[in-house]
Amino acid sequence: RKEVEQDPGPFNVPEGATVAFNCTYSNSASQSFFWYRQDCRKEPKLLMSVYSSGNEDGRFTAQLNRASQYISLLIRDSKLSDSATYLCVGGPPTSGTYKYIFGTGTRLKVLA
Amino acid sequence: EPEVTQTPSHQVTQMGQEVILRCVPISNHLYFYWYRQILGQKVEFLVSFYNNEISEKSEIFDDQFSVERPDGSNFTLKIRSTKLEDSAMYFCASGQGIGAFFGQGTRLTVV
């Protein structure tokens, strides 16, 4: 089983829509999680950290469910500029590892 | 805003040649990483570096690869005897423990 799994999409949504991405992870010792955004042929950019209590940054809300080993990202009022690939990432400490483990990413296209 | 910088942005090399990819991490960061991304595929971990030594490496990071922090600011990835399958985008990243911040990448093309 892959360490971090995501639905690759693409998710095609109209502007203004609300869209949710999910991610599951296999290593129950993972302690930190993140969402990154990657535009085509660019570097991954840190979008937000994910906490069990949930956290919100403007139109973006992230949630972690440790019992289910499940991470979510909700984007409200989608903009054309939100079109990108969203990467779910498990971070250290992960059983003593020093690495960030990336999912394959979920592609989002926001349509005018 | 501080950022990770990588040079060159694009490198074309002949199979069997050695290449050195360079990175300047964010100055107060302690953890450094190299990742690669083959076109259309996921971001793959290569190696992490902390306290002037490798802290972890993946199966990809074999004897062909090495990393160095030669002068306290630069962080390099050397690939000896490049192969066609080494063609990819190579990303350097640095962090302080809460997320890693990536450079813009070096696109390596082995011909």
Side-chain angles (χ1 to χ4, degrees):
Chain A
R1 185 181 168 187
K2 294 178 189 170
E3 290 182 272
V4 179
E5 285 200 70
Q6 296 181 251
D7 179 345
F11 284 54
N12 296 322
V13 302
E15 248 184 312
T18 295
V19 60
F21 305 135
N22 303 319
C23 165
T24 56
Y25 63 94
S26 62
N27 186 338
S28 59
S30 298
Q31 292 199 21
S32 58
F33 298 92
F34 306 87
W35 283 101
Y36 278 73
R37 170 198 168 120
Q38 186 175 31
D39 292 287
C40 190
R41 295 181 177 250
K42 300 284 190 181
E43 75 274 21
K45 290 189 175 170
L46 179 61
L47 188 62
M48 56 200 306
S49 304
V50 189
Y51 306 114
S52 298
S53 53
N55 50 313
E56 192 172 307
D57 183 1
R59 297 181 293 109
F60 298 81
T61 300
Q63 190 78 51
L64 166 64
N65 184 322
R66 288 194 186 275
S68 304
Q69 296 186 213
Y70 174 95
I71 300 152
S72 64
L73 177 68
L74 185 79
I75 305 175
R76 287 180 297 279
D77 188 23
S78 302
K79 312 285 184 200
L80 294 175
S81 56
D82 294 334
S83 297
T85 297
Y86 290 83
L87 307 171
C88 178
V89 180
T94 307
S95 298
T97 68
Y98 289 79
K99 63 186 179 186
Y100 292 85
I101 303 166
F102 282 74
T104 51
T106 299
R107 234 175 102 217
L108 171 66
K109 286 183 82 170
V110 181
L111 308 170
Chain B
E1 188 178 318
E3 58 181 20
V4 177
T5 56
Q6 290 185 244
T7 53
S9 56
H10 192 188
Q11 172 99 43
V12 181
T13 189
Q14 287 206 322
M15 197 167 55
Q17 296 297 302
E18 175 182 286
V19 294
I20 297 177
L21 310 183
R22 300 179 195 280
C23 169
V24 179
I26 295 171
S27 62
N28 62 339
H29 285 179
L30 300 177
Y31 301 88
F32 312 113
Y33 311 87
W34 283 101
Y35 283 79
R36 80 171 185 191
Q37 188 174 31
I38 295 168
L39 190 63
Q41 296 187 25
K42 64 185 277 188
V43 176
E44 299 177 291
F45 170 76
L46 292 177
V47 65
S48 57
F49 194 87
Y50 172 71
N51 205 22
N52 286 319
E53 60 183 23
I54 290 174
S55 44
E56 186 161 354
K57 58 186 180 180
S58 70
E59 291 171 356
I60 304 167
F61 194 89
D62 59 21
D63 292 344
Q64 184 196 4
F65 294 88
S66 62
V67 288
E68 232 182 16
R69 190 154 157 79
D71 58 13
S73 62
N74 291 287
F75 181 48
T76 61
L77 175 69
K78 184 190 290 186
I79 310 174
R80 285 181 280 278
S81 190
T82 48
K83 304 188 275 256
L84 294 176
E85 54 265 38
D86 293 329
S87 294
M89 184 74 104
Y90 287 81
F91 292 111
C92 173
S94 68
Q96 279 285 61
I98 304 176
F101 297 86
F102 283 73
Q104 81 281 14
T106 294
R107 179 165 299 284
L108 177 66
T109 303
V110 182
V111 296

